[in-house]
Amino acid sequence: MTAYEDPPLAQRQVALIDLLDRLLSGGVVLTGDIVLSIAEIDLVRVSLRAVIVAVHEQQWGATIPADGTALPGATLVEDGDRHDEPR
Amino acid sequence: MEDQLSYVYGVVRPSPAVEGDALAAVRGVAGAPVTLVRHGDLAAAVSPVPRSDFSEAALRAHLEDLEWLEAVARAHHQVVETLGAHTTVLPLRLATVYLDDARVRDMLDERQRTLTGLLDRLADHVEWGVKVYADASPGATAPPPAGAARETDPGRAYLRQRRQQRHAREDAWSSAADAVRRIQEGAGDLAVAHARHRPQQGRLAGGSGENIANDAYLVPRERAEEFRERILRAAEGLAGVRVEVTGPWVPYSFAQVPQNADPQGATQP
């Protein structure tokens, strides 16, 4: 057990936005017992995102796109790119 | 326990180190103690949360409340980080809740193959966040040409200024695109996977400039520092570009079964 010597990240203050990127679009997705169906959760997240984006003026006037692709998820890159072979 | 639900932070392979030191010192959501719910050779880190806060309706409302969300997110992260300092941990998505610990065991039983495969895949890997910003503010880019100040016609001065702003912005974007390309080339043989988050905007997005890439890379732990240095070097000398590296993180962005991949966990090249 020598491989885990990094100081825990928690000792530094992580930016909330970086954390939310990971906690709302990363992590293992399991269907819990309190189920906002996946679609609903995504809706909640989109509106949450709207709150985050809209509370204060957006410098570039960005809005949440209305199409269904606008979920704040990590769009995992194409599978072919996910495991980069050494080049 | 009718009024309590089981909040699950993540999944590990249980070990004395995890059960003893790690969880004794950490508190979960709402300050509750965290315990391991074991099933076979897997265990879930769990703490009780009030049903009144995590029922469907409550959750729906709470997810719009940034203060509540931050408190839960930081508690979740604290538990995941603590586990991650001792062993490989699979973080779960925020607010994954079961009726009780018996239901958590059911889940571990049902998802055993997937969870075991992911634990194998992520063992001894870290995640780095790499954000690229285009910064067209004065000072981040080249100064305007001399002569600009001598323009006497206010209309023309205005147009010239607008043109310069547009060029600065185009230059910053083009440099940032270069940085993204260099970073991807540099990451190529060190990272085993790459995920893309949406660019950060709005009130929570810190820093100057416009975030044009918000990526995550999965890197073997022994090459983590090398990766970080290489990324920072890749962006050196590009005007109007800022690169921010965050981490090392527990591999949140890769705790998902890759699409079209063997659910047992793809072995890495």
Side-chain angles (χ1 to χ4, degrees):
Chain A
M1 290 299 286
T2 53
Y4 295 95
E5 290 169 351
D6 293 325
L9 198 60
Q11 290 175 5
R12 295 166 263 154
Q13 180 74 322
V14 176
L16 180 61
I17 192 163
D18 291 331
L19 194 52
L20 290 182
D21 277 342
R22 285 162 177 80
L23 283 175
L24 294 180
S25 64
V28 182
V29 181
L30 298 171
T31 311
D33 287 333
I34 304 302
V35 180
L36 293 161
S37 79
I38 292 299
E40 283 179 312
I41 286 187
D42 286 338
L43 282 176
V44 167
R45 290 194 185 130
V46 168
S47 52
L48 167 73
R49 186 125 203 144
V51 168
I52 293 172
V53 171
V55 168
H56 288 287
E57 284 286 281
Q58 256 301 95
Q59 197 179 353
W60 306 109
T63 54
I64 304 298
D67 60 48
T69 62
L71 305 175
T75 316
L76 294 176
V77 290
E78 301 279 308
D79 201 52
D81 297 338
R82 289 203 37 148
H83 304 283
D84 294 333
E85 299 288 344
R87 281 189 285 269
Chain B
M1 294 296 277
E2 277 300 290
D3 54 350
Q4 304 254 283
L5 298 164
S6 296
Y7 184 109
V8 188
Y9 299 87
V11 173
V12 294
R13 287 195 170 91
S15 70
V18 172
E19 280 186 286
D21 314 344
L23 291 182
V26 77
R27 286 288 174 270
V29 172
V34 180
T35 55
L36 284 190
V37 171
R38 303 174 63 140
H39 180 79
D41 58 359
L42 292 176
V46 172
S47 75
V49 290
R51 181 187 287 267
S52 56
D53 273 338
F54 284 85
S55 70
E56 188 175 338
L59 209 48
R60 197 183 294 276
H62 279 320
L63 284 175
E64 301 288 352
D65 173 352
L66 207 52
E67 259 177 56
W68 186 90
L69 188 72
E70 175 161 16
V72 173
R74 293 206 181 277
H76 187 112
H77 182 59
Q78 181 83 43
V79 174
V80 166
E81 275 293 308
T82 303
L83 291 166
H86 292 80
T87 186
T88 306
V89 56
L90 278 187
L92 298 200
R93 191 156 290 189
L94 190 82
T96 305
V97 177
Y98 290 86
L99 294 173
D100 55 32
D101 290 359
R103 289 285 302 125
V104 175
R105 266 184 213 98
D106 291 346
M107 175 275 288
L108 289 174
D109 189 52
E110 284 162 26
R111 305 298 302 269
Q112 181 172 6
R113 277 174 53 116
T114 303
L115 296 171
T116 303
L118 281 170
L119 280 167
D120 290 342
R121 176 172 182 252
L122 298 179
D124 296 318
H125 286 74
V126 300
E127 170 177 333
W128 287 108
V130 180
K131 294 189 285 182
V132 178
Y133 294 85
D135 191 350
S137 58
T141 50
R150 288 203 305 271
E151 187 70 69
T152 49
D153 178 331
R156 289 168 65 149
Y158 171 78
L159 288 174
R160 181 196 290 269
Q161 193 191 359
R162 285 296 303 267
R163 208 162 42 238
Q164 281 164 355
Q165 283 171 344
R166 197 178 65 239
H167 287 167
R169 193 157 175 237
E170 283 164 2
D171 289 350
W173 272 76
S174 136
S175 295
D178 279 348
V180 171
R181 208 166 32 246
R182 286 192 200 178
I183 284 167
Q184 285 182 354
E185 283 164 10
D189 59 336
L190 288 180
V192 296
H194 170 211
R196 190 158 277 158
H197 292 280
R198 64 156 53 187
Q200 296 177 346
Q201 309 170 315
R203 162 165 82 115
L204 292 183
S208 58
E210 193 169 356
N211 181 220
I212 65 157
N214 178 16
D215 290 348
Y217 291 91
L218 184 66
V219 181
R221 185 180 296 275
E222 69 271 11
R223 311 202 62 180
E225 207 42 48
E226 186 185 349
F227 178 91
R228 183 171 166 277
E229 284 162 15
R230 195 186 287 188
I231 295 304
L232 291 172
R233 267 206 313 274
E236 274 172 7
L238 288 169
V241 177
R242 193 162 57 82
V243 174
E244 196 183 310
V245 176
T246 65
W249 298 86
V250 164
Y252 282 104
S253 304
F254 303 95
Q256 286 151 8
V257 184
Q259 285 162 335
N260 314 325
D262 171 10
Q264 284 299 287
T267 49
Q268 304 298 345

